[in-house]
Amino acid sequence: MDFAKLKRRLYYWIHQIVNILLRLTWHLLHVTIHLCYFAINIANALESHLISKGLLRRYKSLHISKLQYLAIVIESEDCRTSNVIELLQWLADLGVKHVCLYDMEGILKKSKDFILEKFDGATLFQENDVLLDQPLMTLEFASFSDGKEAVAKAANVLFMKYLKSGSTSSYQGEQIFTESQMGEALKTVGGNGPEPDLLLVYGPARCHLGFPAWRIRYTEIQHMGPLKSMKYGSLIKAIYKFTMVQQNYGK
């Protein structure tokens, strides 16, 4: 009995020691990851500061002509008009001429008059406008409802064409709508704006937050972090990385 009791106590202490070692390993790994992220953030902040001061030579010359249309996606909870206006001023200083401002809930769209008034170096972008170099920046305001309504209207246009073609009068197999037909329908209802060359996401989520998917088929997407923590150097770096990317389009 004494040997069995000793054996149980030995197993108990081994189990306790193993648990302690596993917890220590987990906490050590957790701390290591946090330190790595902290070091990366410090390095990025330092690089951004050097870029904004013009101390890194390769970022001094931007081929801004490659960036015809820029989309900025902002988390709705992070939409501060003061930050947006400052960001637009940075873009204007860099020579960006066409910008789309997007948030899911349409907060920016509701504030477009205020933004256009405060940022007097911009005009409202119309869907039929041509992306040409011009003195003033053009701004497009979009939200999740725009894409949702556009898809619903485009689907209705395709359905009406399907009915008018007499396809329901006799069995012709399953009707399939192609991507080109959907694109034409979106143009008809006014839901097929310019495709951005670059999309910058400001917010915690690393996704486009519902920005119309048919407009970003060939778009470069970069996550920029929270809008309140935006940095001029990070903006220059993102645009520089885009201008250095060689885009290959499929047939």
Side-chain angles (χ1 to χ4, degrees):
M1 291 294 296
D2 292 339
F3 178 76
K5 185 177 180 181
L6 181 63
K7 186 177 180 179
R8 287 196 299 270
R9 292 186 65 181
L10 181 61
Y11 283 155
Y12 170 79
W13 285 110
I14 291 175
H15 179 71
Q16 292 296 320
I17 292 172
V18 170
N19 281 339
I20 292 173
L21 290 175
L22 288 175
R23 289 182 181 181
L24 287 175
T25 303
W26 167 253
H27 286 297
L28 181 61
L29 181 62
H30 192 66
V31 170
T32 302
I33 293 174
H34 271 281
L35 288 176
C36 289
Y37 275 108
F38 179 75
I40 291 172
N41 289 333
I42 291 295
N44 288 335
L46 178 60
E47 184 185 31
S48 176
H49 178 72
L50 294 176
I51 293 172
S52 62
K53 294 297 183 180
L55 299 178
L56 296 182
R57 184 176 300 177
R58 63 175 178 172
Y59 294 106
K60 288 185 177 180
S61 58
L62 292 177
H63 301 288
I64 205 68
S65 59
K66 292 185 177 180
L67 185 57
Q68 292 293 313
Y69 201 75
L70 172 67
I72 298 176
V73 172
I74 302 175
E75 176 73 32
S76 294
E77 297 179 357
D78 202 20
C79 284
R80 295 175 176 83
T81 52
S82 58
N83 293 123
V84 172
I85 292 171
E86 184 178 10
L87 180 59
L88 290 174
Q89 186 60 59
W90 290 349
L91 293 171
D93 294 340
L94 291 174
V96 179
K97 294 300 183 182
H98 306 284
V99 178
C100 174
L101 294 174
Y102 170 93
D103 72 286
M104 289 193 69
E105 298 179 11
I107 295 176
L108 294 174
K109 185 187 292 186
K110 294 176 184 177
S111 306
K112 67 179 180 181
D113 292 334
F114 177 80
I115 293 174
L116 288 169
E117 179 183 353
K118 292 297 181 180
F119 183 69
D120 55 2
T123 59
L124 192 62
F125 181 81
Q126 304 297 329
E127 190 167 342
N128 295 325
D129 288 351
V130 181
L131 299 179
L132 297 175
D133 191 13
Q134 53 190 21
L136 296 179
M137 176 189 290
T138 61
L139 294 178
E140 176 190 359
F141 295 86
S143 64
F144 180 76
S145 61
D146 295 327
K148 190 175 181 180
E149 292 175 4
V151 170
K153 291 178 181 178
N156 186 61
V157 169
L158 291 176
F159 179 68
M160 295 304 296
K161 287 184 178 180
Y162 175 65
L163 289 179
K164 290 180 180 179
S165 65
S167 299
T168 56
S169 59
S170 60
Y171 179 79
Q172 295 185 2
E174 183 180 358
Q175 179 72 23
I176 299 176
F177 297 119
T178 64
E179 181 180 347
S180 60
Q181 288 175 320
M182 190 64 180
E184 289 299 322
L186 287 168
K187 289 181 181 179
T188 302
V189 301
N192 196 28
E195 294 186 11
D197 303 297
L198 175 64
L199 187 146
L200 302 179
V201 180
Y202 284 92
R206 292 180 175 269
C207 65
H208 58 75
L209 297 175
F211 191 90
W214 58 88
R215 292 182 59 179
I216 53 176
R217 293 174 296 177
Y218 304 108
T219 300
E220 186 81 14
I221 301 176
Q222 294 191 36
H223 183 254
M224 303 296 290
L227 183 67
K228 61 182 179 181
S229 303
M230 66 180 188
K231 297 178 179 62
Y232 182 63
S234 299
L235 178 65
I236 295 178
K237 182 179 178 181
I239 295 177
Y240 173 80
K241 287 176 63 178
F242 165 76
T243 58
M244 298 302 293
V245 170
Q246 181 177 356
Q247 294 182 321
N248 297 319
Y249 301 95
K251 295 181 179 180

